[in-house]
Amino acid sequence: MEKEITIYDLAKILALSPATVSRALNDHPAINAKTKVLIAEKAAELGYRSNTFASHLRTRKTNTLGVIVPRLNSNFMSTVLAGMEEVANNVGYNLLISQSLESEVKERANAKTMFNSRVDGLLVSVAYDTYSFGHFSTFISRNIPVLFFDRILTHPQCGAVIIDNEQAGYDATRHLLDQGCRRIMHVTGDLRRNVYGDRLEGFKRALAGQNLSLDNRLILSTDLSQEAGRAVAEQIDQMQEKPDGLFIANDLCAAICMQALKEKGYAIPGDVAIVGFNNDPVSQVVSPQLTTIFYPGYQMGKTAMTTMIGQLNGTRPIDHSEPIILRSELIIRRSSILLEKS
Amino acid sequence: MEKEITIYDLAKILALSPATVSRALNDHPAINAKTKVLIAEKAAELGYRSNTFASHLRTRKTNTLGVIVPRLNSNFMSTVLAGMEEVANNVGYNLLISQSLESEVKERANAKTMFNSRVDGLLVSVAYDTYSFGHFSTFISRNIPVLFFDRILTHPQCGAVIIDNEQAGYDATRHLLDQGCRRIMHVTGDLRRNVYGDRLEGFKRALAGQNLSLDNRLILSTDLSQEAGRAVAEQIDQMQEKPDGLFIANDLCAAICMQALKEKGYAIPGDVAIVGFNNDPVSQVVSPQLTTIFYPGYQMGKTAMTTMIGQLNGTRPIDHSEPIILRSELIIRRSSILLEKS
DNA sequence: GTGAAAGCGCTAACAT
DNA sequence: ATGTTAGCGCTTTCAC
């Protein structure tokens, strides 16, 4: 068990003051370049490591940012986190990551832990059933910035990074319409959640653009689980007037639904054309491959983190009136192609 | 911006000493139960939160554990993390999570960050190409416990939690043999990595059990990526003596390979029976559904964390001579069923 | 059962 | 360019 080296040890050995050592280690401009080198070398030689707790205690900053996500195990979320990590690492921030497992109760507990760990800022994509803002207002009242991404809560003091879900919903629906579908069913999540509500708006706009009326029986609000995918297939099988197009706001759910439909004898895309959402790996593995919306996860993570850090540095003017919107993209695959390109 | 309450504030208000407040808050036995209640109530009322940095500075414990995983975006890994989180939360530990993105270089950087953050312990599943132990020996020399899980490095001072990969490899292969396969190809990862090396051993044992000779051309060491899956299909298509069974050590890779084979006109399982590994969601989405090995992720996370915390508490006798082995299980699906059950 | 006081390692006025 | 000093908020030994 080696003894921990402190700046006092370094100071004594080099016949300098602890203050000088501290400044040198922090690259303070007032310190002579040669002394800096001297100190850095000695520090390295003795295996010195800064005691972050003493430092945090003094500076009242932790250099740690909290991230709360619904689940880690989605291709999207872990890509977002990779993007966040890259940016954070580069400027010396650590990440405290936790998952709410889609439950507001757990999210609340996570937020509390983050608060007690004194994160400098908090990045959140909210759980499926989160509607109260209460567990975040403690942060706001202590001036700790909170930034939402993807699944956002709208609050005047919080930034947000999202894709244009309305446009994505429009693109997906419009594509089905262009393929000749006239009776499109939309399977989505809780409509109070921005990602689902906005996609529905896009869905409606696309229908309206073709002067198609909206049939509310064709809008299904589910939990987008695998079971929901199976249930949707069952429901379609029971329907009198069956849909000829299916826009499902989640790839895994869509893939399962497609599979169930195939088992019931439906041809995809012949009987039902399908579009999913997220560009999850499953979308490439099902047959036929699933048309979907590409979600720029890495970019979203980087943007969110850059925004957060800019806000912490005070370098970036903060405008929370408008969310930052990233570009998403329709990826057309076999599950929805009814017309050969001319 | 509210002012931060300290134990000094509480002490002054209640006309007690900071020492008493501190002890009460930490549930010290010597403190009168009534004073404890009094202090707890006041603390809650004023929104007091312990300054962990001051505390950590004093106690030289951080109550934070580091976790390094290859990638967050696998169903397996995020399930492991959920298990870890549950246990850690219950006993008041925080988790600092980072991903190595399968690179030893990044893993090394992560480890350094963890070290500088003074984690009390480190849990690691190593990257695809990690072979040196160097970046962990700093922890060992400072008596910070390091525990490996799933992808392990064998070291006398480090614990390990794994599944019995040899047995799983045996089960998978044996199943294919039982279905009548006689020429089984095994697609795997870097054989120096325990998870892949051990599975190969099981593969060999199963073949030997049927007195089948081992054909080294049927053992493919790849990176198990989606591209690898396609490449394997291509290779099989070119082979003179084609395999009748395929054991691929990763579900996504197996699914992609299956898809590519189907496109080339091969019947699955008729021409080639396939077994994957991990019970990833994709295994249920491909058609035919993929036979695979169930990996007990949640359990592994809980076990690893419990072991780590036991070691930190000194409550659990530490025996690093043997890894902890969890039970895995063959899940038989349509991709490998050649014989109807009699 | 409670208090006094020292010190964990660092940083930032304020000096020089 | 470098040094002196105080204090961040907590825990803990030693008193009483």
Side-chain angles (χ1 to χ4, degrees), chain B residues 286-304:
Chain B
V286 286
S287 44
Q289 293 186 17
L290 187 64
T291 294
T292 190
I293 300 281
F294 166 73
Y295 228 82
Y298 198 78
Q299 183 58 39
M300 187 176 281
K302 281 179 62 168
T303 303

Side-chain angles (χ1 to χ4, degrees), chain A residues 51-115:
Chain A
N51 186 320
T52 52
F53 302 107
S55 168
H56 294 162
L57 181 58
R58 248 330 290 240
T59 59
R60 295 144 169 292
K61 281 201 55 188
T62 65
N63 268 352
T64 299
L65 299 174
V67 185
I68 305 178
V69 299
R71 308 204 96 94
L72 258 13
N73 68 343
S74 81
N75 191 60
F76 172 67
M77 272 306 164
S78 52
T79 312
V80 170
L81 287 169
M84 288 185 171
E85 237 192 1
E86 184 189 316
V87 176
N89 270 349
N90 281 346
V91 292
Y93 274 96
N94 290 330
L95 258 38
L96 209 53
I97 301 168
S98 70
Q99 43 185 349
S100 63
L101 298 175
E102 301 287 12
S103 137
E104 173 165 5
V105 174
K106 183 104 200 292
E107 183 179 288
R108 206 187 294 280
N110 289 339
K112 191 172 177 188
T113 304
M114 299 287 180
F115 186 68

Side-chain angles (χ1 to χ4, degrees), chain B residues 3-37:
Chain B
K3 190 198 162 293
E4 205 68 58
I5 304 287
T6 73
I7 52 169
Y8 287 93
D9 299 324
L10 291 174
K12 192 170 295 175
I13 292 169
L14 296 167
L16 288 168
S17 76
T20 303
V21 175
S22 170
R23 283 192 269 247
L25 259 14
N26 288 304
D27 207 19
H28 188 108
I31 301 293
N32 188 305
K34 287 171 186 167
T35 5
K36 276 185 192 169
V37 172

Side-chain angles (χ1 to χ4, degrees), chain A residues 6-22 39 42:
Chain A
T6 73
I7 52 168
Y8 288 94
D9 299 324
L10 291 174
K12 191 171 292 174
I13 293 169
L14 296 167
L16 288 167
S17 78
T20 304
V21 175
S22 170
I39 291 174
K42 206 63 184 176

Side-chain angles (χ1 to χ4, degrees), chain A residues 49 73 78 115 284-286, chain B residues 49 73 78 115 259 285-286:
Chain A
R49 56 174 176 167
N73 68 343
S78 52
F115 186 68
Q284 297 182 56
V285 164
V286 286
Chain B
R49 53 174 179 166
N73 69 343
S78 52
F115 186 67
Q259 190 176 37
V285 164
V286 286

